[in-house]
Amino acid sequence: MAQIIDGKAISAQIKDEVKEKVAVLKAQGQEIGLAVIQVGSDPASSVYVNNKKKACAYVGIRSLAYELPEETTQEELLSLIERLNHMPECNGILVQLPLPSHINEETVIDAISPAKDVDGFHQDNAGALCIGRSGLVPCTPAGIIQLLVRSGVEIAGKECVVVGRSNIVGKPVALLLMRENGTVTVAHSKTRNLKEVCRRADILVVAVGKPKMINRDYIKEGAVVIDVGIHRMENGKLCGDVDFEDVKELCGAITPVPGGVGPMTIAMLMNNCTEAVKVSAEV
């Protein structure tokens, strides 16, 4: 049976560390505020936003909530972001995605000051990550690295395969694995012989968005498997992109769904809020 990488426990550890950082900053007279903007009332988005508010309350970060109606125009949203960019008590700005179809997500993300872009999605932060400069890093990829490091998984020199090439997970996690001196292959829907490519991996990160796509045919014995996907099945239970029951005896270590990568995203968001204070001081 594989080692289960406990994202709940590791995320709790990180939040406690952030809580200490926030207390130190407050003692120095620096309050931290995170603005969370939600447009519309998508149920999944509302759950995520509430979880972020709870995490802020736990670590001592002030939560600035902006819950806007579905019919909010792009111009109104951009105007709010511009105000928050210049608001000293706001250190981080997060716009909950997806946005209504009449609003262009790229335009909105690029309107956020890179120094306050705690999601790490702004093109300036993406570029900094690509060329190895400091900047705010996307939360899920950063959380994946912490899962590996804090579980005692050696990345340097390992064959790493990332299945998925999204801007939110696939590309940035590949860059972060390279930063840790892993040898990285990025696979995707056009990759030939995908099973063979995956079977080379000492560390396999799966972010394809297809329930239980990855079974034991894709796994090398003893590999570490990080499952980024989350899906609700017809029976109401959650599953990932990896068929956990099929591969668990073959892996060396694996993240469960739920309780693996998911909790890490919000923990790293809280960490990014403290990092944003440093970034702002450097600007």
Side-chain angles (χ1 to χ4, degrees), residues 59-71:
V59 302
I61 292 173
R62 183 183 175 205
S63 179
L64 309 166
Y66 295 88
E67 292 163 2
L68 309 178
E70 182 90 17
E71 59 271 18

Side-chain angles (χ1 to χ4, degrees), residues 60-81:
I61 292 173
R62 183 183 175 205
S63 179
L64 309 166
Y66 295 88
E67 292 163 2
L68 309 178
E70 182 90 17
E71 59 271 18
T72 299
T73 66
Q74 180 166 302
E75 289 69 28
E76 288 169 333
L77 178 55
L78 293 174
S79 176
L80 171 59
I81 290 169

Side-chain angles (χ1 to χ4, degrees), residues 25 30-33 84-93 112-118 125 134-136 271-283:
L25 287 166
Q30 174 69 62
E31 291 284 337
I32 303 180
L84 292 171
N85 282 339
H86 293 95
M87 191 184 289
E89 62 269 33
C90 169
N91 306 94
I93 302 170
I112 299 169
S113 164
K116 296 188 178 188
D117 167 41
V118 287
N125 284 321
S134 61
L136 294 168
N271 188 67
N272 271 359
C273 291
T274 63
E275 290 298 311
V277 174
K278 296 179 193 174
V279 172
S280 294
E282 294 167 359
V283 172

Side-chain angles (χ1 to χ4, degrees), residues 32-246:
I32 303 180
L34 170 64
V36 180
I37 304 170
Q38 181 181 359
V39 183
S41 54
D42 177 76
S45 291
S46 297
V47 170
Y48 293 138
V49 167
N50 286 332
N51 286 340
K52 287 162 187 172
K53 289 178 185 174
K54 288 177 187 174
C56 282
Y58 180 77
V59 302
I61 292 173
R62 183 183 175 205
S63 179
L64 309 166
Y66 295 88
E67 292 163 2
L68 309 178
E70 182 90 17
E71 59 271 18
T72 299
T73 66
Q74 180 166 302
E75 289 69 28
E76 288 169 333
L77 178 55
L78 293 174
S79 176
L80 171 59
I81 290 169
E82 183 63 17
R83 291 203 309 275
L84 292 171
N85 282 339
H86 293 95
M87 191 184 289
E89 62 269 33
C90 169
N91 306 94
I93 302 170
L94 184 152
V95 178
Q96 182 64 46
L97 303 178
L99 289 168
S101 58
H102 65 277
I103 298 177
N104 184 285
E105 288 185 0
E106 282 187 11
T107 301
V108 169
I109 289 166
D110 287 338
I112 299 169
S113 164
K116 296 188 178 188
D117 167 41
V118 287
D119 260 336
F121 294 162
H122 191 283
Q123 60 185 347
D124 285 10
N125 284 321
L129 176 59
C130 192
I131 62 174
R133 292 186 180 174
S134 61
L136 294 168
V137 177
C139 302
T140 300
I144 289 168
I145 299 300
Q146 288 299 312
L147 283 176
L148 293 168
V149 170
R150 293 176 186 243
S151 299
V153 177
E154 179 72 30
I155 301 171
K158 294 292 180 68
E159 186 90 18
C160 307
V161 174
V162 179
V163 189
R165 53 179 168 177
S166 72
N167 292 333
I168 293 174
V169 178
K171 291 175 187 173
V173 81
L175 290 165
L176 288 172
L177 288 165
M178 282 193 281
R179 185 184 283 185
E180 298 293 326
N181 297 312
T183 300
V184 181
T185 300
V186 178
H188 45 77
S189 58
K190 303 297 184 185
T191 299
R192 293 179 182 175
N193 304 317
L194 180 60
K195 289 180 182 178
E196 288 81 353
V197 172
C198 291
R199 281 200 299 267
R200 297 204 308 259
D202 302 306
I203 299 170
L204 180 64
V205 179
V206 185
V208 292
K210 294 183 179 179
K212 297 187 179 183
M213 173 182 157
I214 303 297
N215 59 29
R216 65 190 299 113
D217 295 339
Y218 293 79
I219 309 292
K220 178 170 78 174
E221 187 172 359
V224 176
V225 178
I226 305 294
D227 187 353
V228 184
I230 186 161
H231 314 275
R232 190 169 296 280
M233 297 185 289
E234 289 182 3
N235 62 9
K237 292 185 177 180
L238 296 174
C239 74
D241 291 346
V242 177
D243 189 336
F244 182 88
E245 292 301 322
D246 192 49

